[in-house]
Amino acid sequence: MASLNSLEALFKPKSIAIIGASPDSKKLGGRPLNYLQRNGYRGQIFPINPNYNEISGLKCYSSLLDIGEEIDLAIISLPSKLVVNVLKQCAEKGVKAAVIFSSGFSEIGEAGRKLQEEMTAISKKSGMRILGPNTLGMFNLKSGVFATFSTILEKQTPLKGNIGFVSQSGAFGSHVFTLARQNFIGLSHFVATGNESDIDVADCIEFLAEDPDTDVIACYMEGIKDGKKLINAFKLAAKKKKPVIAFKVGKTNAGQRAALSHTGSLAGSDQVFNAIAKQYGVYRAETIEEFIDAAYACSMLPLPKGDKTAVFTVSGGVGILLADQLTEASLTVPEPSIEVQQQLSDLLPIAGVKNPIDTTAQLNTRQYLLQDFMEIVLSSGEYDSAIVFLAFSGLYPEHAQNHIRSVSNIAKKYKETPIITVSLNSEDSKKSFMENRLAVIEDPSRAVNAMKALKYFSQFYKEESETARIDGMNGLSFDNLPTVLTEHKSKEILKQIGIPITREQLAATLAEAKIMAREIGYPVALKGMSPQILHKSDKGLVQLNITNEEELEEKFTFIKQQISQVENAVFEGILVQEMLSKDSVEMFIGANQDPVFGQMILVGLGGIHIEVYKDAVMRKAPISEETAEEMLDELRSKALLKGFRGSAPRDLKALSRVVAKFSQFISTHDEIEEIDLNPIMVHAEGEGVTVADALITLKKKALSNIQ
C-alpha cells in the first residue's frame, strides 16, 4: 500500500507542467491548461512545447529540463512512442507525479505492454507516482486542479461536493459525472485510473479515505489486480466511517477455471467480490441509478439508527409500493402507536394513519399539513427514517416551496433522522432542494434503494470490528505428498488442528480391518483409499452399514478388487469408519484459493444435494466465530439448523467454532489450493459436529509430518 501522502502531488500539486501543451483549447494538450486557468488554479503552470514561446499568456518551454523550478505534477499529452523518454526526464527532474493521457500501451497488445512495463519500472525506481497511461485524468474541486482532457468540462462548471469518484473507465466516469451534475450533485474529486501502470483504484480509495474534503467514496471497477491492497483500502475507509459504494462489472478467470471439487464450482469470482464487499462494508450497486443515488444519499444524510421507516404519501398506491419495497429491502414499516394515530386523525380525519401515512391531496391546500404530520410522527421516537412521496408537486413553484420549507424545518429539528423526498421537479425546485441540503429523488423505488444503502452502512458500522485470532496454525510443514490428498490424509490434517472427525483407522489388510471394526464397534463403513481415485462412490469404494465380520470380509475384498481394476491406481488402504447414528444435518465447509483475494471460506448446505441447491455463503479468511454465525444466519436453509417442524435445534456454536478454526488454518497456508469438508454432520444442540469426509488439494507441496 502506498504511503498516505504519496498522492498529494497528484491531487494537490503546487506546480504543474503540461508536456505537449497547445494554445488550442479543443486539443488534448490545450484542455487542461484552459481548465486550470478558467477554474482558478493558484499554483504555477509551465506549458511545454518546442513550437511555441508563449501559450495563453504563459511562457512556454522547449523541454521539462529547461524549467528552473520544482515540478509536482507533469501532465503528458504526447504520442506513445515519446512517453517513456519524457518520463525518464521527469524522473531526472524529480517530478513527483505524472498524468499520462497517451494511449497505445497494454490495451493494444504485447508491444504496448512492454512500453507500459518500462513506465512502471521508472515509477518504482524514482518514486514518481503515475496515473495512466490511457487515462482521462483527474480533477480536485477544492484545489482547482484539472489534469484532464474530458470534454464534459467545456460547458459544465463542476459543483463542489463531498463525494470522491474513482473510475477504471473514463467514458463511464464522464457519464456518471454528467448525470450527477444534472442533479446538482457535487464531487470532491474525480479520477479515471486508465491502464493502472502504477496508481490503481485501491490507491485512490486510500487517499480519499484520508482526505478531509471527502465523506463518501464511489468506485467503478472492471478488474482487480491486487486483492490484499484493495481490502486494506476498504478497511481504512470503514475505519474512517466513509461509505464506499462500488459498481463492479466483469469477472476474473477464477470462476472459469475447472474445479476439482464442489467448492470450486460454487466460488465464482463475482461471488468472491460480493463476499469481500459484504465483509468489509462496501455497498455494491447494481445499476448506474443506484450507484449515484446511494452515493448521493450517503453524502447528504445521517445514517439511520434502526430499520423503522415512516412513509408519508399523497398516493395510497405509491404508499403500498413503498411498503412492499421497503420490506423487501429489510426495512420495516410498522404502524404508529394508537396515540400517534389519534393525533393524526384529529389533524385530518380523512387521512390514512396506519403507515404508510396517506395525507391525501389536502397536502397541497393546507400550508403546514405536511410539517404537522411529520412532527407528530417523528417526535414520537418510533421511527428511524422517513420517505415523503409528493408525486409531481415539485413542478409547481408554490407547492414546491411550501413542501421544501416543511421538510427543511423537520430535517433541521430531527438531524439524526434521514429523510428522502420523492417528487418530480423543475430545475428550480431541484436546485432549491439541494440548497436546503434536502435529499430529493424522482422515483420511489430509487428512494428505497438509497435508504437501503444508508441502512447497510449503519448496520455495518454498528458491528464491532473483529480481528480473527490465528493461533497454533503454523506448526505443520509442507513437503513430499501428492497434490491431491485422500480422505484419510486430509482428515489426519484436520485432526491435528483440532477439527473433530469420525472415529476411523486405515487398514492395509483384512485382518487389520477386522480388529479396527471391533474397536470402533459395528456398524461401520469401509472406504477405499487411492490418490488416483478421488470420487470414491463412483467406483464402488464406499460401503456403508456393515454389521458383521462376514459382511466386512466381503466388502473389503470387493473394494480392493475395484481399486486394482483402475489403471495406475495405488492402493493406500481401506478406511474403517464409524457409522454416525446421531440425527444430524449435513453441511459443508470449503475453501478456495481465489487468484485475486486469496483464501476464501464457504459454508453451506452439504451432502448429496450441494450442487442442486448451491446454498452457500462466502467470506475472506480468516474470520471470527461471530462472523461464522452471521454466515450461517444468511443461508436459505438456516431453518434446518435452528429446528424445523419439531426437529431439535442443531449445535450452531460448535459449527461456528469449527468454521472459524478452519478459516484460520487456511489463511496461514497458501500452499492449500482447495479444501472440501462434506458432509460435516451437525448434531443436536450441545452434541457438537463431526467431519465425515474431506478432500484437500495442494498447490505444490504437502504436509510432511502426516504419516
Side-chain angles (χ1 to χ4, degrees):
M1 200 72 169
S3 66
L4 296 182
N5 295 319
S6 67
L7 299 188
E8 287 285 326
L10 172 67
F11 289 109
K12 301 177 182 179
K14 296 178 182 177
S15 56
I16 300 175
I18 304 175
I19 304 172
S22 171
D24 186 347
S25 63
K26 299 295 183 182
K27 291 185 176 181
L28 264 64
R31 286 186 187 132
L33 177 56
N34 178 37
Y35 297 155
L36 287 165
Q37 290 183 320
R38 197 176 74 195
N39 290 284
Y41 171 66
R42 295 182 181 180
Q44 293 179 290
I45 304 174
F46 300 96
I48 299 173
N49 189 323
N51 298 318
Y52 301 94
N53 295 320
E54 179 183 301
I55 294 179
S56 299
L58 299 172
K59 180 181 177 180
C60 188
Y61 296 82
S62 296
S63 166
L64 178 71
L65 300 178
D66 294 337
I67 302 172
E69 306 287 338
E70 287 189 1
I71 303 297
D72 283 344
L73 175 64
I75 300 173
I76 300 174
S77 179
L78 295 171
S80 59
K81 62 184 179 180
L82 303 177
V83 172
V84 170
N85 285 333
V86 167
L87 272 180
K88 290 177 180 177
Q89 290 183 1
C90 290
E92 181 183 344
K93 176 69 176 173
V95 173
K96 298 172 185 174
V99 175
I100 303 173
F101 296 160
S102 317
S103 58
F105 295 93
S106 63
E107 79 277 6
I108 66 165
E110 184 63 19
R113 184 185 64 80
K114 289 181 178 178
L115 279 176
Q116 186 167 312
E117 287 176 351
E118 286 189 63
M119 295 164 49
T120 303
I122 293 169
S123 170
K124 289 181 178 178
K125 184 176 179 180
S126 65
M128 174 175 54
R129 303 309 307 269
I130 296 176
L131 181 66
N134 192 31
T135 176
L136 188 68
M138 52 73 58
F139 54 80
N140 176 350
L141 272 299
K142 184 170 183 179
S143 60
V145 175
F146 288 82
T148 179
F149 63 89
S150 175
T151 58
I152 59 175
L153 300 177
E154 287 184 350
K155 296 183 179 180
Q156 297 186 71
T157 302
L159 296 177
K160 292 180 183 179
N162 58 348
I163 301 172
F165 178 36
V166 187
S167 177
Q168 287 184 321
S169 165
F172 179 91
S174 297
H175 181 71
V176 169
F177 166 81
T178 303
L179 287 174
R181 179 64 180 81
Q182 288 177 347
N183 286 280
F184 299 96
I185 299 171
L187 303 178
S188 64
H189 299 75
F190 171 101
V191 54
T193 57
N195 287 7
E196 297 188 348
S197 65
D198 172 34
I199 296 170
D200 62 11
V201 167
D203 289 312
C204 297
I205 293 172
E206 181 203 37
F207 176 84
L208 295 170
E210 295 282 4
D211 178 57
D213 300 316
T214 300
D215 296 321
V216 179
I217 303 167
C219 308
Y220 169 81
M221 290 181 279
E222 296 172 353
I224 300 159
K225 296 178 181 178
D226 190 332
K228 182 178 180 181
K229 184 179 177 183
L230 184 64
I231 286 173
N232 286 337
F234 287 160
K235 285 181 178 179
L236 180 62
K239 180 181 177 182
K240 298 289 183 178
K241 287 187 168 51
K242 294 192 177 183
V244 177
I245 294 93
F247 190 29
K248 170 73 170 62
V249 300
K251 296 182 179 181
T252 70
N253 61 6
Q256 300 169 356
R257 62 184 175 86
L260 294 178
S261 69
H262 299 298
T263 301
S265 69
L266 290 171
S269 62
D270 201 52
Q271 293 94 319
V272 171
F273 186 81
N274 272 337
I276 293 294
K278 183 174 183 62
Q279 191 167 351
Y280 298 105
V282 175
Y283 183 85
R284 189 172 183 185
E286 297 298 328
T287 65
I288 292 177
E289 283 185 338
E290 185 181 8
F291 181 58
I292 295 173
D293 291 341
Y296 165 60
C298 289
S299 74
M300 293 280 289
L301 297 169
L303 301 180
K305 293 183 177 180
D307 61 7
K308 300 180 181 64
T309 303
V311 175
F312 301 90
T313 177
V314 296
S315 163
V318 172
I320 297 168
L321 171 70
L322 284 167
D324 284 344
Q325 293 184 344
L326 285 165
T327 302
E328 290 169 356
S330 298
L331 291 153
T332 62
V333 191
E335 290 187 7
S337 63
I338 297 300
E339 293 78 10
V340 169
Q341 291 185 43
Q342 186 59 55
Q343 291 179 60
L344 294 174
S345 295
D346 291 345
L347 191 62
L348 184 66
I350 63 172
V353 296
K354 297 287 187 180
N355 195 25
I357 297 159
D358 187 355
T359 62
T360 75
Q362 291 292 315
L363 205 67
N364 292 321
T365 61
R366 293 173 56 173
Q367 186 174 2
Y368 296 106
L369 185 62
L370 176 59
Q371 182 172 330
D372 291 341
F373 260 66
M374 294 182 72
E375 172 65 31
I376 291 170
V377 173
L378 296 184
S379 66
S380 70
E382 297 171 10
Y383 295 94
D384 307 301
S385 58
I387 292 179
V388 183
F389 178 74
L390 300 175
F392 47 83
S393 297
L395 298 175
Y396 298 88
E398 65 278 12
H399 297 327
Q401 290 307 311
N402 179 43
H403 296 329
I404 289 169
R405 182 168 53 250
S406 294
V407 177
S408 179
N409 289 338
I410 294 297
K412 288 175 182 176
K413 185 171 182 179
Y414 300 98
K415 295 180 179 179
E416 296 184 354
T417 303
I419 301 171
I420 298 176
T421 303
V422 181
S423 176
L424 297 177
N425 293 291
S426 65
E427 186 168 327
D428 286 342
S429 63
K430 187 183 296 183
K431 186 176 181 181
S432 184
F433 269 107
M434 296 301 291
E435 288 172 347
N436 283 275
R437 293 289 301 168
L438 299 176
V440 61
I441 293 175
E442 295 183 344
D443 178 82
S445 299
R446 288 170 54 194
V448 171
N449 280 334
M451 194 65 80
K452 180 175 72 172
L454 292 172
K455 188 235 180 184
Y456 175 89
F457 289 109
S458 174
Q459 184 173 337
F460 180 80
Y461 295 146
K462 280 180 184 177
E463 297 170 356
E464 294 182 5
S465 59
E466 302 170 359
T467 302
R469 295 176 60 200
I470 305 174
D471 296 331
M473 297 293 175
N474 288 304
L476 299 170
S477 60
F478 286 69
D479 197 14
N480 300 327
L481 279 185
T483 302
V484 183
L485 306 185
T486 61
E487 176 186 343
H488 170 60
K489 289 194 180 295
S490 297
K491 287 163 80 175
E492 283 294 301
I493 295 169
L494 299 176
K495 185 178 180 180
Q496 287 198 30
I497 63 172
I499 291 179
I501 65 172
T502 46
R503 289 185 296 124
E504 58 192 38
Q505 297 183 57
L506 187 67
T509 66
L510 176 59
E512 288 179 354
K514 289 179 178 180
I515 294 170
M516 293 170 182
R518 286 195 293 268
E519 290 177 356
I520 292 171
Y522 288 100
V524 296
L526 294 183
K527 296 180 179 180
M529 296 292 110
S530 173
Q532 289 73 39
I533 307 173
L534 300 177
H535 299 291
K536 301 183 291 293
S537 297
D538 295 347
K539 297 295 183 181
L541 304 191
V542 178
Q543 300 294 325
L544 305 176
N545 290 307
I546 297 168
T547 59
N548 55 60
E549 285 196 359
E550 285 185 17
E551 193 176 350
L552 183 139
E553 183 173 344
E554 176 190 342
K555 300 299 185 184
F556 187 99
T557 303
F558 172 78
I559 291 173
K560 196 168 182 180
Q561 287 175 344
Q562 291 295 100
I563 294 175
S564 68
Q565 292 173 11
V566 177
E567 187 176 357
N568 297 322
V570 175
F571 176 69
E572 190 179 88
I574 293 179
L575 199 62
V576 184
Q577 185 180 96
E578 68 172 316
M579 286 295 302
L580 295 172
S581 58
K582 296 178 180 178
D583 179 32
S584 306
V585 172
E586 295 185 354
M587 302 293 289
F588 92 96
I589 303 172
N592 181 265
Q593 181 85 263
D594 182 78
V596 176
F597 292 105
Q599 291 285 16
M600 305 296 297
I601 181 169
L602 296 94
V603 61
L605 186 65
I608 62 173
H609 301 302
I610 181 172
E611 287 189 310
V612 176
Y613 296 111
K614 293 188 177 181
D615 183 16
V617 177
M618 189 188 315
R619 294 288 190 276
K620 173 78 173 70
I623 62 169
S624 66
E625 290 183 30
E626 291 79 8
T627 299
E629 289 181 13
E630 291 173 8
M631 293 174 70
L632 296 174
D633 197 53
E634 291 174 25
L635 292 169
R636 298 192 304 274
S637 54
K638 63 185 177 183
L640 296 175
L641 294 168
K642 294 186 176 182
F644 181 70
R645 292 193 173 183
S647 64
R650 304 298 152 177
D651 202 334
L652 291 173
K653 291 291 184 184
L655 180 58
S656 298
R657 284 194 297 272
V658 168
V659 172
K661 184 174 290 188
F662 177 82
S663 79
Q664 292 161 9
F665 169 60
I666 62 172
S667 71
T668 57
H669 291 296
D670 283 340
E671 298 92 332
I672 297 172
E673 179 72 21
E674 200 164 3
I675 309 184
D676 276 327
L677 279 53
N678 182 40
I680 177 170
M681 315 303 289
V682 187
H683 310 306
E685 196 168 19
E687 296 183 7
V689 300
T690 308
V691 175
D693 200 351
L695 178 67
I696 295 179
T697 305
L698 303 174
K699 286 182 179 176
K700 49 190 175 182
K701 293 183 180 179
L703 297 156
S704 62
N705 62 336
I706 303 299
Q707 301 300 323

